[in-house]
Amino acid sequence: MATQHLEGGRQAAIREPVVEVLDEMACLSLIAGGGVGRIGYTGRFGPAVLPVNYDLHGGTIVFRTGVDSAMAADLCTGIADAEYSVAFEIDQIQPATQEGWSVLVQGSVHHVDSEAEQASLLRAGVVAWPDGQREHFIRITPTRITGRRISARVTGGS
Amino acid sequence: MATQHLEGGRQAAIREPVVEVLDEMACLSLIAGGGVGRIGYTGRFGPAVLPVNYDLHGGTIVFRTGVDSAMAADLCTGIADAEYSVAFEIDQIQPATQEGWSVLVQGSVHHVDSEAEQASLLRAGVVAWPDGQREHFIRITPTRITGRRISARVTGGS
């Protein structure tokens, strides 16, 4: 339904949301600048979603967390070479109009343990957030990237 | 480390993030206004996080989705009275300063099937987003609510 009946028989214009599915290239281009994203994983209390500051680095999502953080512990399988599956979501949505986009990266978590790999990320300027000493790098290698853009089509009105 | 050495021996002021843990009442007060939140769950492709428009209604998170959406299907256990565990995250973070807050609600998903319950939510004005025909109500009853506020302490500088 695109119109809303007002008193007196007039109809108001209605903003109808239009969803456009984004391909992988469009998604990567939207998230290339880094910033705040949200990691979704299954932790000690079930599913969890937490905001982190990320960078896109060589097609992977990279962020830092405290070595002894609950999240870092939750993301360890305890089995060598077995990697945890996680989700990483980035969006930019205007609260007033609810227009914007969201991207969902699904992939496996890799703990950056080697000094060479850590040094490469530090050189790339991957920044920590949100508290002081954050020495543990986590990298998510995407296996699936999906996204959508939501805009409003204004219809009706008389 | 709170200062950064500049050329010539001067030190620049550094913004050091300070994390404050929020109690349940503070979290509920921050998310009471509704808006955009992000649901985290395990779907057909593993962990997923998607933005939805929510309302807080009687201490529960409520949102609408399409009856035949992939998310609605993923959130069905297929077992009567067995409810799915999910995460729901809400945040407000300034991209420039990275100051703000985030709240994580963990709980179980309840599909609002009865007409009486649906009518009560419609009367409360729970709005749909992001596309047209969204008739399926989902309610998350919190079992755990945690949050944190991140502010910056500026230190150093000479």
Side-chain angles (χ1 to χ4, degrees), chain A residues 23-68:
Chain A
D23 66 21
E24 200 175 303
M25 285 303 289
C27 292
L28 284 170
S29 146
L30 284 167
I31 68 173
V36 176
R38 292 144 197 108
I39 180 164
Y41 62 98
T42 303
R44 60 196 75 184
F45 298 106
V49 177
L50 287 177
V52 296
N53 202 41
Y54 80 98
D55 269 319
L56 192 69
H57 185 254
T60 64
I61 302 280
V62 182
F63 60 94
R64 281 202 274 188
T65 181
V67 179
D68 54 359

Side-chain angles (χ1 to χ4, degrees), chain A residues 65-122:
Chain A
T65 181
V67 179
D68 54 359
S69 75
M71 190 204 295
D74 279 345
L75 293 176
C76 283
T77 58
I79 303 162
D81 300 325
E83 298 188 337
Y84 228 93
S85 286
V86 296
F88 198 82
E89 190 260 4
I90 309 103
D91 64 47
Q92 208 166 294
I93 296 161
Q94 302 301 320
T97 61
Q98 295 185 354
E99 293 185 284
W101 54 264
S102 70
V103 167
L104 172 60
V105 173
Q106 292 172 297
S108 55
V109 155
H110 169 62
H111 297 265
V112 179
D113 294 327
S114 83
E115 283 189 23
E117 206 175 347
Q118 280 177 21
S120 147
L121 292 177
L122 281 168

